[in-house]
């Protein structure tokens, strides 16, 4: 039995005298998806990283692994996210800036050089081009001789929140939904352990939503994906087990904990209503990232405290994996030192705080239980409004979700400007001392030239006629309604580029205009 530092025994879970009948690991999973939670296994410490070239990002991954991170999370640059090769005119000024540039399977091979994919889990924050990046990952795993049934990880693959909050979309809504269901179907056969989508509230919150809106809009989007898969004849008890979520953690510790608890409860009942019978298909599994929009350029050292509070909220709320932001991210991409401190924050929470010694440690608190109920009630009211419109797809197409987020963002900023909301170091507790800016990670502007040279070499070395034949077959599959994933994988394996594949689908599906 675990004990406090004073030697007081700690029970695995407390249910009495609070009167709570529900136990962790039981429907509707308010108290956690596993009965022993972190007493049995810690969350995955998955530090989000990627910048510049595949070579430089590979070095950062090896460093993070050496420092104790237990999963990789890949950030891609904007051209990669919206389907442009590095040599495209639209890519100028953006190559390698907010993530790593991946133009082809050759870059993916470099990105994971020296890393055995079967031995780790990888998360890839990619949406419009998720199918292509997943195909590259699978092609690399095959080249490594991996057993695809054992490959595990996640692609974000959540396009609805792109239209609502973030903007890295390519195709119109309906064809984008088709690509997602194609991935669901293909992975259920080929990659049974892969999480086919990470339904993301993170970017909804970063765009300015409230915690209730983040919860409601995310679950409404999730409901839309499930309905789309059901319409394609997929088994909810099969694909439902591979759905995951991605939430933000902000500074109000108790609201965030209540949000995570309410999310599990709502999702379990929603999935049951839509026909799920397997408990694993009703469990809401989620990754958390600390709130990037909460970080301040003023007094950036204070961000370490914010990230620690947000980390505790995620763990107290029962997250399955966690990324902690670097304290310098209001100024630029995190330096290696900032990334190390961010990882150490998770490790202190895991091994020194005592939070992991018992399951749902805040469960039974009058405040937390009431706040969980209130979060659920308000989120369900918003979901009902979205249902009345015809669902999340319609709410996005009509711009309703976008307008609601914008309104909340405006009100939040107004509260900061008039001092109603205190932000330490910004509108209160300012320092007269001259602040020394921390070192900032600079990205070399010559990266686009480097990537362009690599592309030229790639195209001269590959079998061009085979590439064109594979792209033509992809175009035909898009027109005929066939599952796109086999053709995308074949194209990737012949070293067709990300931009070439995206252009084929642009020609068939068109582009979304906001």
């Amino acid at each position: 039995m675990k004990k406090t530092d004073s030697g007081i025994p700690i029970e695995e879970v407390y249910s009495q005298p609070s009167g709570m009948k529900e136990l962790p690991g039981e429907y509707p999973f308010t108290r956690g998806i596993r009965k022993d939670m972190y007493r049995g296994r810690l969350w995955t410490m998955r530090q989000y990283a990627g910048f510049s070239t595949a070579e430089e990002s590979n070095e950062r991954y090896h460093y993070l692994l050496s420092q104790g991170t237990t999963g990789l999370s890949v950030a891609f640059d904007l051209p990669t996210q919206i389907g442009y090769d590095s040599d495209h005119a639209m890519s100028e000024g953006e190559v390698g800036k907010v993530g790593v540039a991946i133009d082809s399977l050759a870059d993916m091979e470099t990105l994971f050089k020296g890393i055995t994919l079967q031995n780790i889990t990888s998360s890839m924050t990619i949406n419009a081009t998720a199918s292509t990046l997943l195909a590259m990952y699978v092609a690399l795993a095959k080249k490594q001789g991996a057993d695809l049934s054992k490959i595990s990880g996640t692609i974000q693959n959540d396009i609805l929140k792109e239209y609502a909050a973030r903007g890295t979309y390519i195709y119109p809504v309906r064809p984008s939904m088709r690509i997602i269901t194609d991935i669901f179907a293909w992975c259920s056969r080929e990659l049974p352990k892969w999480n086919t989508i990470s339904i993301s509230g993170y970017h909804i919150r970063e765009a300015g939503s409230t915690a209730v809106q983040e919860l409601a809009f995310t679950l409404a989007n999730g409901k839309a994906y499930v309905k789309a898969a059901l319409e394609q004849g997929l088994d909810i008890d099969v694909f439902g087990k591979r759905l995951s979520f991605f939430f933000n953690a902000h500074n109000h510790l108790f609201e965030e904990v209540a949000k995570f608890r309410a999310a599990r409860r709502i999702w379990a009942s929603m999935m049951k209503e839509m026909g799920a019978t397997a408990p694993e298909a009703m469990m809401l599994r989620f990754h958390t990232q600390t709130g990037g929009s909460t970080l301040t350029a003023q007094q950036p050292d204070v961000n370490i405290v914010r990230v620690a509070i947000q980390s505790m909220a995620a763990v107290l709320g029962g997250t399955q994996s966690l990324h902690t932001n670097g304290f310098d991210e209001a100024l630029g991409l995190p330096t290696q030192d900032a990334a190390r401190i961010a990882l150490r924050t998770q490790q202190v929470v895991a091994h020194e705080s005592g939070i992991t010694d018992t399951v749902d440690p805040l469960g039974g608190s009058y405040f937390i239980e009431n706040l969980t109920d209130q979060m659920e009630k308000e989120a369900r009211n918003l979901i009902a409004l979205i249902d009345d419109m015809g669902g999340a797809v319609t709410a996005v197409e009509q711009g309703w979700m976008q307008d609601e987020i914008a309104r909340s963002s405006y009100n939040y900023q107004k509260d900061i400007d008039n001092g109603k909301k205190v932000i330490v170091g910004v509108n209160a507790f300012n320092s007269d001392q001259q602040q020394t800016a921390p070192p900032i990670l600079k990205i070399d502007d010559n990266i686009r030239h480097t990537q362009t040279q690599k592309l030229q070499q790639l195209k001269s070395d590959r079998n061009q006629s085979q590439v064109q034949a594979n792209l033509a077959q992809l175009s035909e599959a898009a027109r005929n309604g066939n599952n796109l994933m086999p053709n995308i994988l074949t194209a990737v394996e012949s070293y067709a580029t990300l931009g070439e594949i995206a252009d084929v689908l642009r020609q068939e599906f068109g582009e979304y205009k906001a």
Side-chain angles (χ1 to χ4, degrees):
M1 178 176 287
K2 294 193 175 185
K3 298 180 180 181
T4 69
D5 290 344
S6 300
I8 300 170
I10 300 172
E11 300 290 340
E12 181 176 342
V13 61
Y14 291 85
S15 55
Q16 298 292 342
S18 65
M20 291 183 295
K21 296 180 180 178
E22 179 195 325
L23 291 173
E26 295 180 357
Y27 179 91
F29 312 107
T30 309
R31 306 194 64 192
I33 63 168
R34 295 195 308 273
K35 65 179 182 180
D36 60 351
M37 287 301 289
Y38 307 128
R39 288 174 67 111
R41 185 179 72 194
L42 292 175
W43 63 93
T44 301
M45 299 182 190
R46 188 184 304 283
Q47 289 303 105
Y48 185 49
F51 59 93
S52 186
T53 61
E55 289 85 353
E56 288 192 67
S57 291
N58 177 262
E59 288 180 14
R60 176 64 65 89
Y61 294 158
H62 280 284
Y63 173 77
L64 289 170
L65 289 168
S66 75
Q67 294 299 303
T69 193
T70 53
L72 297 177
S73 184
V74 185
F76 298 98
D77 71 359
L78 281 175
T80 303
Q81 292 180 47
I82 54 177
Y84 293 116
D85 289 334
S86 296
D87 59 357
H88 194 284
M90 289 290 288
S91 301
E92 187 170 355
E94 292 293 346
V95 177
K97 291 296 176 70
V98 300
V100 61
I102 300 293
D103 292 319
S104 72
L105 175 57
D107 286 328
M108 187 68 79
E109 291 165 354
T110 302
L111 184 67
F112 289 101
K113 185 177 181 181
I115 299 171
T116 304
L117 299 189
Q118 192 168 309
N119 295 341
I120 62 163
T121 64
S122 300
S123 176
M124 295 188 283
T125 303
I126 196 71
N127 298 284
T129 55
S131 57
T132 305
L133 272 299
L134 175 60
M136 290 180 185
Y137 194 87
V138 170
L140 176 57
K142 289 169 66 178
K143 292 186 77 168
Q144 289 185 354
D147 179 350
L148 295 186
S149 68
K150 296 179 180 178
I151 292 291
S152 60
T154 305
I155 44 172
Q156 192 161 100
N157 199 28
D158 174 6
I159 203 63
L160 288 176
K161 68 95 175 52
E162 294 297 326
Y163 304 111
R166 193 160 174 267
T168 60
Y169 43 71
I170 303 175
Y171 319 111
V173 179
R174 308 284 167 166
S176 295
M177 293 293 285
R178 171 200 163 175
I179 296 171
I180 288 170
T181 55
D182 281 357
I183 293 171
F184 286 2
W186 186 79
C187 285
S188 68
R189 297 189 303 269
E190 305 293 336
L191 293 179
K193 291 183 69 176
W194 193 267
N195 296 323
T196 52
I197 193 169
S198 178
I199 305 157
S200 176
Y202 184 85
H203 304 98
I204 291 170
R205 191 70 175 279
E206 289 293 284
S209 80
T210 65
V212 169
Q213 288 173 328
E214 177 193 0
L215 176 56
F217 296 169
T218 305
L219 298 188
N221 287 347
K223 188 175 184 179
Y225 294 126
V226 171
K227 287 189 170 183
L230 290 172
E231 288 170 3
Q232 295 300 313
L234 303 184
D235 186 340
I236 192 170
D237 282 334
V238 175
F239 75 79
K241 296 175 184 177
R242 304 319 315 165
L243 305 178
S244 65
F245 288 80
F246 175 22
F247 287 113
N248 210 313
H250 271 222
N251 289 328
H252 196 298
L253 177 72
F254 303 107
E255 182 175 54
E256 296 303 298
V257 172
K259 178 185 75 180
F260 299 135
R261 297 172 94 250
R264 280 191 293 270
R265 186 189 294 171
I266 297 170
W267 184 248
S269 65
M270 285 173 65
M271 288 294 279
K272 191 172 186 179
E273 290 166 6
M274 288 188 285
T277 58
E280 296 88 350
M282 301 182 218
M283 293 178 181
L284 184 146
R285 298 170 299 113
F286 69 100
H287 170 73
T288 310
Q289 181 173 338
T290 57
S293 62
T294 69
L295 304 181
T296 64
Q298 302 93 325
Q299 301 182 36
D301 289 353
V302 179
N303 292 328
I304 296 173
V305 181
R306 295 185 175 100
V307 170
I309 291 170
Q310 294 161 12
S311 302
M312 289 191 291
V315 175
L316 288 165
T319 193
Q320 275 60 69
S321 68
L322 177 61
H323 163 81
T324 35
N325 288 331
F327 72 91
D328 56 357
E329 289 190 50
L331 301 167
L333 292 172
T335 61
Q336 186 164 288
D337 283 346
R340 177 180 49 80
I341 293 169
L343 177 60
R344 293 289 182 262
T345 301
Q346 292 201 49
Q347 292 164 337
V348 169
V349 171
H351 299 290
E352 297 185 30
S353 71
I355 288 174
T356 61
D357 290 344
T358 192
V359 181
D360 190 28
L362 294 183
S365 156
Y366 292 113
F367 179 38
I368 285 295
E369 297 301 336
N370 180 265
L371 195 52
T372 300
D373 292 343
Q374 291 300 312
M375 292 289 289
E376 179 183 11
K377 179 182 176 181
E378 293 195 27
R380 284 189 181 277
N381 289 340
L382 280 177
I383 292 168
L385 280 176
I386 294 169
D387 286 342
D388 289 343
M389 293 178 206
V393 172
T394 303
V396 165
E397 289 180 327
Q398 293 179 354
W400 180 84
M401 206 177 282
Q402 296 91 312
D403 289 345
E404 291 298 303
I405 295 169
R407 187 176 297 111
S408 294
S409 178
Y410 172 75
N411 289 335
Y412 184 82
Q413 187 60 49
K414 190 167 63 173
D415 286 346
I416 294 173
D417 292 344
N418 63 27
K420 185 177 178 181
K421 176 74 177 174
V422 171
I423 305 297
V424 173
V426 176
N427 63 355
F429 310 110
N430 298 312
S431 175
D432 294 331
Q433 261 186 320
Q434 184 68 31
Q435 298 293 303
T436 302
I440 298 174
L441 180 65
K442 298 290 186 182
I443 304 299
D444 191 342
D445 287 328
N446 289 325
I447 290 170
R448 183 167 183 253
H449 176 68
T450 301
Q451 286 295 114
T452 297
Q453 286 183 318
K454 285 198 278 186
L455 278 167
Q456 290 171 347
Q457 187 65 49
L458 175 84
K459 290 177 181 179
S460 69
D461 291 343
R462 70 186 184 180
N463 185 329
Q464 193 66 23
S465 61
Q466 186 63 61
V467 170
Q468 293 306 314
N470 292 340
L471 292 174
Q473 289 171 358
L474 173 60
S475 180
E476 184 179 352
R479 283 194 302 275
N480 295 339
N482 297 334
N483 192 303
L484 297 172
M485 283 304 299
N487 294 103
I488 292 174
L489 179 58
T490 300
V492 160
E493 289 178 323
S494 66
Y495 291 89
T497 69
L498 174 120
E500 289 170 333
I501 292 168
D503 283 345
V504 167
L505 299 181
R506 279 188 182 95
Q507 187 172 354
E508 296 299 332
F509 298 147
E511 293 190 72
Y512 178 79
K513 303 296 181 185

